[in-house]
Amino acid sequence: MFKAAGAAAGAVGIGTAVTPTPAVASGSYAHPGLLHTRADLDRMAAKVKAGAAPYTAGFAKLTAGRHAQSGWTANPQATIIRGGDGQNYGILYRDIHAAYQNALRGHVSGDSAHLDTAVAILNAWSAKLTGLGGNADRFLAAGLYGYQIANAAELVRDHPDFELDRFQEMLTGVFAPLSDSFLVKHNDAVVSNYWTNWDLTAMCCVLATGIFCDDRAQVARAVDYFKHGEGLGSLRNAIPVVHDDGLAEWLEAGRDQGHALLGVGLMGTFCEMAWNQGVDLYGYDDSRFLKGAQYVAKWAMGGEVPFTANTRRKGAINGWSGSETVSEAAPVDPAMTRPIWAMIANHYTKRRGLSASYLTRIAAKSAPEGGGGDYGPNSGGYDQLGFGTLAFTRDKRDAAGPSASASPSAAGSDPRPQTQATTSPSTPSASASAASGGDLAATGSNQIIGWTAATGITALAGGLLMLRRRDRARHQSR
């Protein structure tokens, strides 16, 4: 388990404090309470029943996919391998998306057959899965599929046939230990070796597991890592430079567009799950995530963005080391999209009433958002649960704090200074080749260099040290 620094599991971060809900105040968490609350599910159902746009378009996108059909049959495995020989992880992520999509469809439509299908899929996996294996990519499998399967199960946790205890044992015994380990040891690499989204997958898994299993210590560790973690997934390391125009550089913008979008989607997922338990990380550090998301949105649409030259150390502890410098943002394809924008845009513009024109534009461009199966047949097309147009479109309301607030006294308080922002932050408007190191950072491809490392991150030219891939045409690790 990775170390916490005393963060309060339920402390309200930045924003207007609200009265704790009875469930949270008593020491457990609000359920459902990962990406979707009961109010969210009721809103989706009511809007679709009323024929309201754009919910109907989002729901049509959901029902058209093969994963959302009640005839889906699970194919559980005892061991899932991602990276190296014997890979079979596609079986898992397809079943997870089928469970999630059926559960979501069941709640919106009221058709119990879809809820029953989701339960059958999840029960089948909790009865059989005992381990995750492979090279370093096993940590990606634990993080991505751990948070996703927890979200699917959260939608049916009260179903009479769902094996809740057994599922919790699977989360805490199979998925979470790998994610915990990664955030401590980083696969025996120095902390700066792995890109931002490696940390974020693990952070999402730890947080989702903690909430699903009512483990306040687990939630506290995840929240503390977001604020203070040494790896590249913590907020200030993922978004190292804030510019005077209100945009903030996203670390992986110097790598490539696909992984930058993945990281923004994962950080949004983390913030949304925390928000639904009363912790405002969206607004933490003067809404730093908003500034980073705006930066990526503008850049991904082909806009000019500032970029600070950076260098990052790479390598393994007590092994070889090196460094590489990035001096410009990577090229982009404005046609590339992922189902990540509706959730983030709706939070800042509808929940909080802030200006976020780049987010608004790219969310509209990406709508209606689909999900797994709609963005390509390979694993990258399943990295987000998606369907944000249906799930996260909101009516505009007055700025408010998190939807639920845990009692800070229940878990102690974080003794370190935190930036508080109770007023709306200013935001930009539209006018505005080394030796292999075993399985370290391996990706399942023999063409990938296994990076090894020496020490942590230092600053250069006003930015965070980072690694730039040397050959943009070469497939690389997440």
Side-chain angles (χ1 to χ4, degrees):
M1 299 293 202
F2 61 91
K3 294 180 181 179
V12 175
I14 307 308
T16 305
V18 295
T19 303
T21 61
V24 176
S26 67
S28 61
Y29 289 101
H31 298 293
L34 289 178
L35 285 175
H36 313 301
T37 66
R38 172 59 56 191
D40 293 333
L41 296 171
D42 290 346
R43 179 187 66 249
M44 293 179 229
K47 293 289 189 179
V48 169
K49 184 177 181 179
Y55 301 89
T56 50
F59 187 61
K61 194 82 171 178
L62 173 65
T63 59
R66 69 186 186 95
H67 294 81
Q69 307 310 312
S70 61
W72 189 279
T73 301
N75 183 20
Q77 307 292 308
T79 303
I80 285 296
I81 304 295
R82 177 164 178 166
D85 296 331
Q87 291 192 122
N88 63 348
Y89 66 103
I91 297 171
L92 174 59
Y93 66 67
R94 291 185 182 91
D95 274 1
I96 290 173
H97 283 256
Y100 173 77
Q101 292 180 31
N102 269 282
L104 192 62
R105 183 174 180 176
H107 278 290
V108 175
S109 68
D111 186 344
S112 62
H114 292 285
L115 298 174
D116 294 343
T117 296
V119 168
I121 295 168
L122 297 167
N123 284 347
W125 278 95
S126 68
K128 191 164 185 178
L129 183 65
T130 59
L132 301 174
N135 58 27
D137 280 12
R138 67 192 183 278
F139 295 108
L140 293 176
L144 286 167
Y145 312 138
Y147 96 77
Q148 290 179 355
I149 202 169
N151 268 277
E154 183 77 350
L155 295 179
V156 295
R157 66 181 295 135
D158 294 330
H159 192 288
D161 296 331
F162 179 60
E163 297 287 348
L164 176 61
D165 291 344
R166 192 174 71 199
F167 190 88
Q168 289 176 326
E169 290 174 3
M170 179 183 69
L171 276 182
T172 58
V174 177
F175 292 95
L178 278 173
S179 291
D180 276 322
S181 173
F182 186 81
L183 294 174
V184 176
K185 298 180 179 179
H186 288 87
N187 197 29
D188 294 323
V190 63
V191 71
S192 58
N193 185 76
Y194 285 93
W195 290 102
T196 294
N197 61 79
W198 286 76
D199 264 8
L200 285 169
T201 63
M203 291 160 61
C204 284
C205 177
V206 172
L207 180 62
T209 299
I211 294 171
F212 190 89
C213 298
D214 292 314
D215 186 336
R216 297 181 70 82
Q218 190 89 332
V219 172
R221 288 195 298 275
V223 171
D224 182 75
Y225 198 93
F226 176 91
K227 295 177 178 179
H228 310 296
E230 295 181 359
L232 300 185
S234 64
L235 182 65
R236 282 179 171 262
N237 290 343
I239 308 171
V241 181
V242 178
H243 294 279
D244 292 340
D245 64 358
L247 296 178
E249 291 179 24
W250 188 263
L251 185 67
E252 286 193 284
R255 183 188 183 190
D256 66 56
Q257 183 181 6
H259 290 98
L261 295 179
L262 170 61
V264 170
L266 288 168
M267 188 171 283
T269 293
F270 191 90
C271 290
E272 185 70 17
M273 292 189 296
W275 174 273
N276 285 333
Q277 298 300 334
V279 183
D280 184 5
L281 301 179
Y282 277 118
Y284 183 72
D285 196 10
D286 196 23
S287 296
R288 195 181 190 96
F289 177 50
L290 168 60
K291 298 167 187 176
Q294 283 268 82
Y295 176 99
V296 174
K298 180 181 180 182
W299 166 69
M301 290 187 292
E304 292 287 332
V305 292
F307 194 87
T308 306
N310 292 284
T311 301
R312 171 179 105 156
R313 299 277 299 274
K314 59 191 181 188
I317 297 173
N318 299 321
W320 72 269
S321 64
S323 64
E324 194 158 353
T325 300
V326 133
S327 59
E328 61 183 356
V332 299
D333 174 5
M336 179 185 290
T337 188
R338 290 292 185 271
I340 64 173
W341 298 112
M343 175 174 62
I344 304 167
N346 274 277
H347 171 81
Y348 286 115
T349 65
K350 299 298 180 64
R351 276 185 181 147
R352 302 304 297 268
L354 303 179
S355 172
S357 61
Y358 299 121
L359 286 173
T360 301
R361 287 165 53 195
I362 202 167
K365 181 180 177 182
S366 302
E369 290 182 352
D374 295 323
Y375 295 88
N378 299 320
S379 60
Y382 292 81
D383 283 345
Q384 292 86 32
L385 290 170
F387 300 105
T389 303
L390 169 65
F392 301 111
T393 299
R394 303 177 184 280
D395 295 326
K396 193 163 186 176
R397 52 182 276 188
D398 292 337
S403 58
S405 173
S407 171
S409 61
S413 60
D414 186 345
R416 285 169 292 190
Q418 298 180 11
T419 302
Q420 297 248 338
T422 55
T423 58
S424 299
S426 60
T427 57
S429 66
S431 60
S433 131
S436 175
D439 79 334
L440 188 66
T443 64
S445 168
N446 293 331
Q447 298 178 356
I448 306 306
I449 294 175
W451 298 119
T452 43
T455 76
I457 306 169
T458 57
L460 179 69
L464 186 72
L465 296 183
M466 63 179 287
L467 169 65
R468 183 181 181 85
R469 78 174 171 185
R470 303 186 178 195
D471 181 0
R472 292 193 179 279
R474 181 168 52 193
H475 174 72
Q476 58 176 307
S477 66
R478 277 195 160 71

